[in-house]
């Protein structure tokens, strides 16, 4: 059930604001802007888009490497410095966490009790490294979160019917692949949901947007548009003020 949030501007974007506590801002950009990663930092266009839609806040900009590492934001981290990671967690207010995707899954995390948030980029490689499990472990160990309180929302990604993969995936993900017309398909959402529930996150606390980037042309899709396609930004922040 995608939830559409009316932004400050007239544009609307996918959001999970009504699923998370009022103090937590979330949004997912679409093809109105390309959020590809640049080594020099955010482009002028990207920066002004964020300022317009979310306000002017420090942005934790990660260089994604399809790994299993989740970054813990500490006081020394300044906006504009890059960290290699595929997920970010914080309990700090007014710091925008984000990941970029084009068919991969973005997962928004929040424990409303300990007030820790995060966002994770989960492609098949990160999923194979159990990045969702690592993210939940870190929420528990670093911030004292409780898996029974953690809420997770899944952003748009390629769906299990569209994601055709090699036969090696039958070994990688035996529970989350199926065969269709002699092709193997991988269900990225189901694989990540099972990593969350394996850590004790409750099924009723997981919200899936059920938006397929391959089918919905309003989102960038690596599989549909090729490697030069743009990137979707999935962002989350704890607001200090309403
Ligand atoms: Zn699909």
């Amino acid at each position: 059930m995608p939830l559409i949030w009316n932004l400050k501007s007239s544009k609307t974007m996918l959001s999970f604001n009504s699923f998370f506590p009022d103090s937590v801002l979330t949004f997912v950009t679409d093809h109105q802007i390309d959020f590809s990663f640049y080594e020099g930092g955010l482009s002028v266009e990207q920066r002004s888009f964020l300022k317009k839609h979310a306000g002017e806040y420090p942005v934790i900009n990660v260089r994604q490497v399809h790994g299993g590492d989740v970054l813990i934001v500490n006081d020394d981290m300044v906006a504009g410095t890059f960290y290699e990671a595929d997920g970010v967690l914080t309990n700090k207010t007014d710091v925008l966490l984000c990941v970029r995707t084009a068919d991969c899954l973005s997962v928004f995390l929040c424990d409303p009790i300990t007030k820790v948030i995060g966002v994770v980029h989960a492609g098949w490689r990160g999923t194979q490294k159990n990045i969702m499990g690592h993210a939940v472990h870190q929420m528990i160990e670093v911030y004292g979160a409780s898996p029974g309180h953690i809420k997770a929302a899944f952003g748009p990604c390629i769906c299990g019917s569209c994601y055709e993969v090699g036969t090696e995936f039958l070994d990688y993900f035996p529970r989350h692949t199926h065969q269709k017309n002699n092709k193997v398909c991988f269900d990225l959402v189901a694989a990540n949901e099972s990593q969350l529930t394996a850590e004790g996150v409750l099924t009723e606390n997981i919200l899936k947007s059920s938006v397929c980037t391959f089918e919905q042309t309003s989102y960038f899709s690596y599989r549909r548009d090729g490697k030069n396609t743009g990137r979707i930004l999935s962002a989350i922040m704890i607001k200090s003020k309403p």
Side-chain angles (χ1 to χ4, degrees):
M1 165 201 33
L3 307 162
I4 305 300
W5 172 49
N6 287 302
L7 289 152
K8 286 193 224 163
S9 68
S10 58
K11 297 258 171 56
T12 58
M13 284 191 283
L14 178 65
S15 165
F16 303 102
N17 285 358
S18 54
F19 177 67
F20 289 126
D22 288 346
S23 58
V24 175
L25 168 78
T26 59
F27 61 91
V28 181
T29 65
D30 57 22
H31 68 167
Q32 61 184 287
I33 180 166
D34 173 8
F35 260 100
S36 289
F37 178 80
Y38 300 109
E39 292 292 336
L42 293 168
S43 71
V44 171
E45 187 193 12
Q46 291 171 348
R47 196 169 289 283
S48 76
F49 183 94
L50 291 180
K51 185 177 173 184
K52 182 174 170 189
H53 294 279
E56 200 161 22
Y57 298 101
V59 178
I60 301 296
N61 207 6
V62 289
R63 184 187 289 112
Q64 297 169 195
V65 290
H66 290 280
D69 292 339
V70 177
L71 182 77
I72 305 294
V73 177
N74 65 42
D75 284 331
D76 300 333
M77 291 178 181
V78 287
T81 306
F82 304 132
Y83 303 91
E84 248 175 38
D86 287 271
V88 200
L89 297 175
T90 198
N91 60 0
K92 295 184 182 307
T93 58
D94 298 336
V95 177
L96 193 74
L97 310 184
C98 52
V99 294
R100 298 167 168 82
T101 58
D103 286 341
C104 288
L105 174 65
S106 61
V107 181
F108 296 80
L109 296 163
C110 175
D111 179 341
I113 310 297
T114 50
K115 297 185 169 55
V116 53
I117 58 163
V119 64
V120 171
H121 157 244
W124 74 264
R125 291 184 190 85
T127 304
Q128 198 178 31
K129 292 169 183 141
N130 190 27
I131 190 164
M132 287 314 307
H134 292 164
V136 172
H137 279 160
Q138 298 274 62
M139 289 176 82
I140 296 166
E141 285 168 20
V142 179
Y143 297 103
S146 162
H149 296 151
I150 292 173
K151 300 183 90 175
F154 287 14
C157 74
I158 189 167
C159 80
S161 299
C162 294
Y163 196 3
E164 291 179 3
V165 293
T167 52
E168 67 276 17
F169 276 63
L170 295 169
D171 294 326
Y172 296 165
F173 302 100
R175 289 168 52 222
H176 302 111
T177 37
H178 66 274
Q179 300 200 54
K180 182 183 82 174
N181 306 327
N182 292 325
K183 301 249 171 67
V184 177
C185 290
F186 172 46
D187 193 335
L188 186 61
V189 165
N192 279 277
E193 183 176 20
S194 79
Q195 291 183 356
L196 287 170
T197 55
E199 302 299 332
V201 177
L202 306 174
T203 306
E204 62 261 35
N205 286 339
I206 299 173
L207 177 69
K208 290 173 273 192
S209 69
S210 303
V211 175
C212 173
T213 47
F214 189 81
E215 295 172 60
Q216 293 285 331
T217 52
S218 55
Y219 291 101
F220 297 113
S221 168
Y222 187 97
R223 285 293 182 108
R224 188 189 61 233
D225 303 329
K227 67 179 166 60
N228 292 325
T229 192
R231 293 293 182 276
I232 298 161
L233 191 80
S234 291
I236 187 166
M237 183 175 80
I238 309 169
K239 298 178 288 182
S240 63
K241 298 189 202 82

PDB file of all heavy atoms in Angstrom, residues 86-112:
ATOM      1  N   ASP A  86      26.333   0.196   2.758  1.00  0.00           N
ATOM      2  CA  ASP A  86      25.068   0.033   2.046  1.00  0.00           C
ATOM      3  C   ASP A  86      23.869   0.210   2.960  1.00  0.00           C
ATOM      4  O   ASP A  86      22.749  -0.123   2.572  1.00  0.00           O
ATOM      5  CB  ASP A  86      25.054  -1.317   1.320  1.00  0.00           C
ATOM      6  CG  ASP A  86      25.965  -1.272   0.109  1.00  0.00           C
ATOM      7  OD1 ASP A  86      25.503  -0.894  -0.965  1.00  0.00           O
ATOM      8  OD2 ASP A  86      27.170  -1.561   0.265  1.00  0.00           O
ATOM      9  N   GLY A  87      24.142   0.754   4.130  1.00  0.00           N
ATOM     10  CA  GLY A  87      23.066   1.101   5.030  1.00  0.00           C
ATOM     11  C   GLY A  87      23.585   2.129   6.016  1.00  0.00           C
ATOM     12  O   GLY A  87      24.800   2.235   6.226  1.00  0.00           O
ATOM     13  N   VAL A  88      22.680   2.907   6.600  1.00  0.00           N
ATOM     14  CA  VAL A  88      23.051   3.950   7.544  1.00  0.00           C
ATOM     15  C   VAL A  88      22.053   3.953   8.691  1.00  0.00           C
ATOM     16  O   VAL A  88      20.848   3.822   8.463  1.00  0.00           O
ATOM     17  CB  VAL A  88      23.013   5.357   6.893  1.00  0.00           C
ATOM     18  CG1 VAL A  88      23.841   6.336   7.685  1.00  0.00           C
ATOM     19  CG2 VAL A  88      23.465   5.342   5.457  1.00  0.00           C
ATOM     20  N   LEU A  89      22.569   4.112   9.918  1.00  0.00           N
ATOM     21  CA  LEU A  89      21.697   4.201  11.097  1.00  0.00           C
ATOM     22  C   LEU A  89      22.070   5.439  11.907  1.00  0.00           C
ATOM     23  O   LEU A  89      23.239   5.820  11.965  1.00  0.00           O
ATOM     24  CB  LEU A  89      21.900   2.985  12.012  1.00  0.00           C
ATOM     25  CG  LEU A  89      21.570   1.589  11.496  1.00  0.00           C
ATOM     26  CD1 LEU A  89      21.972   0.545  12.537  1.00  0.00           C
ATOM     27  CD2 LEU A  89      20.083   1.453  11.150  1.00  0.00           C
ATOM     28  N   THR A  90      21.079   6.025  12.564  1.00  0.00           N
ATOM     29  CA  THR A  90      21.371   7.110  13.504  1.00  0.00           C
ATOM     30  C   THR A  90      20.232   7.283  14.503  1.00  0.00           C
ATOM     31  O   THR A  90      19.106   6.852  14.243  1.00  0.00           O
ATOM     32  CB  THR A  90      21.628   8.447  12.771  1.00  0.00           C
ATOM     33  OG1 THR A  90      22.302   9.340  13.658  1.00  0.00           O
ATOM     34  CG2 THR A  90      20.339   9.116  12.311  1.00  0.00           C
ATOM     35  N   ASN A  91      20.568   7.939  15.628  1.00  0.00           N
ATOM     36  CA  ASN A  91      19.523   8.425  16.533  1.00  0.00           C
ATOM     37  C   ASN A  91      19.592   9.948  16.608  1.00  0.00           C
ATOM     38  O   ASN A  91      18.940  10.564  17.439  1.00  0.00           O
ATOM     39  CB  ASN A  91      19.646   7.792  17.925  1.00  0.00           C
ATOM     40  CG  ASN A  91      20.977   8.094  18.582  1.00  0.00           C
ATOM     41  OD1 ASN A  91      21.828   8.784  18.000  1.00  0.00           O
ATOM     42  ND2 ASN A  91      21.181   7.582  19.787  1.00  0.00           N
ATOM     43  N   LYS A  92      20.386  10.540  15.728  1.00  0.00           N
ATOM     44  CA  LYS A  92      20.538  11.996  15.710  1.00  0.00           C
ATOM     45  C   LYS A  92      19.366  12.624  14.954  1.00  0.00           C
ATOM     46  O   LYS A  92      18.883  12.073  13.963  1.00  0.00           O
ATOM     47  CB  LYS A  92      21.838  12.382  15.008  1.00  0.00           C
ATOM     48  CG  LYS A  92      23.061  11.895  15.756  1.00  0.00           C
ATOM     49  CD  LYS A  92      24.331  12.351  15.107  1.00  0.00           C
ATOM     50  CE  LYS A  92      25.523  11.798  15.868  1.00  0.00           C
ATOM     51  NZ  LYS A  92      25.469  12.093  17.324  1.00  0.00           N
ATOM     52  N   THR A  93      18.976  13.786  15.438  1.00  0.00           N
ATOM     53  CA  THR A  93      17.908  14.501  14.743  1.00  0.00           C
ATOM     54  C   THR A  93      18.502  15.400  13.659  1.00  0.00           C
ATOM     55  O   THR A  93      19.673  15.793  13.730  1.00  0.00           O
ATOM     56  CB  THR A  93      17.096  15.378  15.720  1.00  0.00           C
ATOM     57  OG1 THR A  93      17.989  16.295  16.354  1.00  0.00           O
ATOM     58  CG2 THR A  93      16.393  14.541  16.770  1.00  0.00           C
ATOM     59  N   ASP A  94      17.682  15.701  12.683  1.00  0.00           N
ATOM     60  CA  ASP A  94      18.032  16.658  11.618  1.00  0.00           C
ATOM     61  C   ASP A  94      19.272  16.258  10.821  1.00  0.00           C
ATOM     62  O   ASP A  94      20.076  17.114  10.425  1.00  0.00           O
ATOM     63  CB  ASP A  94      18.188  18.077  12.206  1.00  0.00           C
ATOM     64  CG  ASP A  94      16.893  18.575  12.829  1.00  0.00           C
ATOM     65  OD1 ASP A  94      15.821  18.087  12.424  1.00  0.00           O
ATOM     66  OD2 ASP A  94      16.951  19.437  13.722  1.00  0.00           O
ATOM     67  N   VAL A  95      19.439  14.966  10.628  1.00  0.00           N
ATOM     68  CA  VAL A  95      20.478  14.455   9.730  1.00  0.00           C
ATOM     69  C   VAL A  95      19.764  13.544   8.736  1.00  0.00           C
ATOM     70  O   VAL A  95      19.069  12.610   9.133  1.00  0.00           O
ATOM     71  CB  VAL A  95      21.551  13.646  10.496  1.00  0.00           C
ATOM     72  CG1 VAL A  95      22.574  13.064   9.523  1.00  0.00           C
ATOM     73  CG2 VAL A  95      22.239  14.505  11.542  1.00  0.00           C
ATOM     74  N   LEU A  96      19.914  13.859   7.453  1.00  0.00           N
ATOM     75  CA  LEU A  96      19.205  13.100   6.423  1.00  0.00           C
ATOM     76  C   LEU A  96      20.048  11.896   5.989  1.00  0.00           C
ATOM     77  O   LEU A  96      21.176  12.060   5.522  1.00  0.00           O
ATOM     78  CB  LEU A  96      18.922  14.015   5.225  1.00  0.00           C
ATOM     79  CG  LEU A  96      17.933  13.486   4.189  1.00  0.00           C
ATOM     80  CD1 LEU A  96      16.499  13.557   4.709  1.00  0.00           C
ATOM     81  CD2 LEU A  96      18.050  14.277   2.888  1.00  0.00           C
ATOM     82  N   LEU A  97      19.489  10.712   6.172  1.00  0.00           N
ATOM     83  CA  LEU A  97      20.149   9.479   5.738  1.00  0.00           C
ATOM     84  C   LEU A  97      19.546   9.064   4.401  1.00  0.00           C
ATOM     85  O   LEU A  97      18.332   9.178   4.214  1.00  0.00           O
ATOM     86  CB  LEU A  97      19.911   8.342   6.739  1.00  0.00           C
ATOM     87  CG  LEU A  97      20.170   8.616   8.216  1.00  0.00           C
ATOM     88  CD1 LEU A  97      19.963   7.321   9.018  1.00  0.00           C
ATOM     89  CD2 LEU A  97      21.565   9.166   8.432  1.00  0.00           C
ATOM     90  N   CYS A  98      20.372   8.568   3.499  1.00  0.00           N
ATOM     91  CA  CYS A  98      19.790   8.161   2.226  1.00  0.00           C
ATOM     92  C   CYS A  98      20.586   7.055   1.555  1.00  0.00           C
ATOM     93  O   CYS A  98      21.774   6.877   1.818  1.00  0.00           O
ATOM     94  CB  CYS A  98      19.649   9.353   1.293  1.00  0.00           C
ATOM     95  SG  CYS A  98      21.126  10.305   1.070  1.00  0.00           S
ATOM     96  N   VAL A  99      19.895   6.309   0.713  1.00  0.00           N
ATOM     97  CA  VAL A  99      20.537   5.345  -0.193  1.00  0.00           C
ATOM     98  C   VAL A  99      19.934   5.547  -1.582  1.00  0.00           C
ATOM     99  O   VAL A  99      18.850   6.110  -1.731  1.00  0.00           O
ATOM    100  CB  VAL A  99      20.352   3.871   0.253  1.00  0.00           C
ATOM    101  CG1 VAL A  99      21.062   3.599   1.567  1.00  0.00           C
ATOM    102  CG2 VAL A  99      18.887   3.462   0.312  1.00  0.00           C
ATOM    103  N   ARG A 100      20.671   5.068  -2.592  1.00  0.00           N
ATOM    104  CA  ARG A 100      20.243   5.213  -3.986  1.00  0.00           C
ATOM    105  C   ARG A 100      19.997   3.832  -4.580  1.00  0.00           C
ATOM    106  O   ARG A 100      20.775   2.909  -4.323  1.00  0.00           O
ATOM    107  CB  ARG A 100      21.358   5.889  -4.777  1.00  0.00           C
ATOM    108  CG  ARG A 100      21.696   7.259  -4.301  1.00  0.00           C
ATOM    109  CD  ARG A 100      23.005   7.699  -4.936  1.00  0.00           C
ATOM    110  NE  ARG A 100      23.228   9.111  -4.724  1.00  0.00           N
ATOM    111  CZ  ARG A 100      23.738   9.611  -3.606  1.00  0.00           C
ATOM    112  NH1 ARG A 100      24.094   8.828  -2.610  1.00  0.00           N
ATOM    113  NH2 ARG A 100      23.897  10.902  -3.476  1.00  0.00           N
ATOM    114  N   THR A 101      18.969   3.738  -5.387  1.00  0.00           N
ATOM    115  CA  THR A 101      18.639   2.449  -6.008  1.00  0.00           C
ATOM    116  C   THR A 101      18.104   2.643  -7.434  1.00  0.00           C
ATOM    117  O   THR A 101      17.688   3.751  -7.801  1.00  0.00           O
ATOM    118  CB  THR A 101      17.551   1.708  -5.208  1.00  0.00           C
ATOM    119  OG1 THR A 101      16.389   2.541  -5.127  1.00  0.00           O
ATOM    120  CG2 THR A 101      18.002   1.344  -3.806  1.00  0.00           C
ATOM    121  N   ALA A 102      18.137   1.558  -8.198  1.00  0.00           N
ATOM    122  CA  ALA A 102      17.439   1.489  -9.490  1.00  0.00           C
ATOM    123  C   ALA A 102      17.152  -0.001  -9.703  1.00  0.00           C
ATOM    124  O   ALA A 102      17.946  -0.710 -10.303  1.00  0.00           O
ATOM    125  CB  ALA A 102      18.292   2.045 -10.608  1.00  0.00           C
ATOM    126  N   ASP A 103      16.108  -0.485  -9.138  1.00  0.00           N
ATOM    127  CA  ASP A 103      15.653  -1.894  -9.089  1.00  0.00           C
ATOM    128  C   ASP A 103      15.993  -2.589  -7.769  1.00  0.00           C
ATOM    129  O   ASP A 103      15.292  -3.508  -7.364  1.00  0.00           O
ATOM    130  CB  ASP A 103      16.186  -2.776 -10.233  1.00  0.00           C
ATOM    131  CG  ASP A 103      15.508  -2.480 -11.557  1.00  0.00           C
ATOM    132  OD1 ASP A 103      14.414  -1.881 -11.543  1.00  0.00           O
ATOM    133  OD2 ASP A 103      16.073  -2.852 -12.593  1.00  0.00           O
ATOM    134  N   CYS A 104      17.104  -2.194  -7.119  1.00  0.00           N
ATOM    135  CA  CYS A 104      17.395  -2.770  -5.806  1.00  0.00           C
ATOM    136  C   CYS A 104      16.346  -2.266  -4.806  1.00  0.00           C
ATOM    137  O   CYS A 104      15.631  -1.317  -5.066  1.00  0.00           O
ATOM    138  CB  CYS A 104      18.779  -2.349  -5.326  1.00  0.00           C
ATOM    139  SG  CYS A 104      20.110  -3.156  -6.230  1.00  0.00           S
ATOM    140  N   LEU A 105      16.300  -2.929  -3.666  1.00  0.00           N
ATOM    141  CA  LEU A 105      15.318  -2.596  -2.629  1.00  0.00           C
ATOM    142  C   LEU A 105      15.910  -1.592  -1.637  1.00  0.00           C
ATOM    143  O   LEU A 105      17.066  -1.730  -1.230  1.00  0.00           O
ATOM    144  CB  LEU A 105      14.948  -3.892  -1.888  1.00  0.00           C
ATOM    145  CG  LEU A 105      14.031  -3.781  -0.668  1.00  0.00           C
ATOM    146  CD1 LEU A 105      12.646  -3.281  -1.052  1.00  0.00           C
ATOM    147  CD2 LEU A 105      13.923  -5.145   0.017  1.00  0.00           C
ATOM    148  N   SER A 106      15.112  -0.590  -1.251  1.00  0.00           N
ATOM    149  CA  SER A 106      15.485   0.263  -0.122  1.00  0.00           C
ATOM    150  C   SER A 106      14.560  -0.096   1.042  1.00  0.00           C
ATOM    151  O   SER A 106      13.364  -0.301   0.836  1.00  0.00           O
ATOM    152  CB  SER A 106      15.349   1.748  -0.474  1.00  0.00           C
ATOM    153  OG  SER A 106      14.015   2.069  -0.813  1.00  0.00           O
ATOM    154  N   VAL A 107      15.150  -0.202   2.227  1.00  0.00           N
ATOM    155  CA  VAL A 107      14.343  -0.527   3.410  1.00  0.00           C
ATOM    156  C   VAL A 107      14.546   0.559   4.458  1.00  0.00           C
ATOM    157  O   VAL A 107      15.677   0.869   4.837  1.00  0.00           O
ATOM    158  CB  VAL A 107      14.720  -1.909   3.993  1.00  0.00           C
ATOM    159  CG1 VAL A 107      13.849  -2.219   5.211  1.00  0.00           C
ATOM    160  CG2 VAL A 107      14.553  -2.995   2.941  1.00  0.00           C
ATOM    161  N   PHE A 108      13.431   1.145   4.891  1.00  0.00           N
ATOM    162  CA  PHE A 108      13.428   2.180   5.925  1.00  0.00           C
ATOM    163  C   PHE A 108      13.185   1.494   7.268  1.00  0.00           C
ATOM    164  O   PHE A 108      12.288   0.654   7.374  1.00  0.00           O
ATOM    165  CB  PHE A 108      12.300   3.175   5.683  1.00  0.00           C
ATOM    166  CG  PHE A 108      12.422   3.962   4.404  1.00  0.00           C
ATOM    167  CD1 PHE A 108      12.053   3.404   3.190  1.00  0.00           C
ATOM    168  CD2 PHE A 108      12.896   5.254   4.420  1.00  0.00           C
ATOM    169  CE1 PHE A 108      12.162   4.133   2.013  1.00  0.00           C
ATOM    170  CE2 PHE A 108      13.011   5.995   3.242  1.00  0.00           C
ATOM    171  CZ  PHE A 108      12.640   5.431   2.037  1.00  0.00           C
ATOM    172  N   LEU A 109      13.962   1.885   8.280  1.00  0.00           N
ATOM    173  CA  LEU A 109      13.855   1.241   9.593  1.00  0.00           C
ATOM    174  C   LEU A 109      13.642   2.291  10.685  1.00  0.00           C
ATOM    175  O   LEU A 109      14.209   3.386  10.615  1.00  0.00           O
ATOM    176  CB  LEU A 109      15.142   0.475   9.906  1.00  0.00           C
ATOM    177  CG  LEU A 109      15.469  -0.704   8.989  1.00  0.00           C
ATOM    178  CD1 LEU A 109      16.933  -1.091   9.144  1.00  0.00           C
ATOM    179  CD2 LEU A 109      14.563  -1.883   9.295  1.00  0.00           C
ATOM    180  N   CYS A 110      12.872   1.919  11.705  1.00  0.00           N
ATOM    181  CA  CYS A 110      12.703   2.817  12.846  1.00  0.00           C
ATOM    182  C   CYS A 110      12.282   2.012  14.068  1.00  0.00           C
ATOM    183  O   CYS A 110      11.399   1.156  13.973  1.00  0.00           O
ATOM    184  CB  CYS A 110      11.621   3.858  12.531  1.00  0.00           C
ATOM    185  SG  CYS A 110      11.206   4.931  13.916  1.00  0.00           S
ATOM    186  N   ASP A 111      12.964   2.276  15.195  1.00  0.00           N
ATOM    187  CA  ASP A 111      12.452   1.802  16.479  1.00  0.00           C
ATOM    188  C   ASP A 111      11.899   3.028  17.190  1.00  0.00           C
ATOM    189  O   ASP A 111      12.663   3.894  17.618  1.00  0.00           O
ATOM    190  CB  ASP A 111      13.566   1.148  17.316  1.00  0.00           C
ATOM    191  CG  ASP A 111      13.034   0.685  18.666  1.00  0.00           C
ATOM    192  OD1 ASP A 111      11.960   1.170  19.094  1.00  0.00           O
ATOM    193  OD2 ASP A 111      13.683  -0.149  19.319  1.00  0.00           O
ATOM    194  N   PRO A 112      10.574   3.143  17.290  1.00  0.00           N
ATOM    195  CA  PRO A 112       9.977   4.350  17.854  1.00  0.00           C
ATOM    196  C   PRO A 112      10.302   4.544  19.334  1.00  0.00           C
ATOM    197  O   PRO A 112      10.221   5.665  19.836  1.00  0.00           O
ATOM    198  CB  PRO A 112       8.470   4.128  17.683  1.00  0.00           C
ATOM    199  CG  PRO A 112       8.313   2.932  16.807  1.00  0.00           C
ATOM    200  CD  PRO A 112       9.571   2.147  16.894  1.00  0.00           C
TER     201      PRO A 112
END
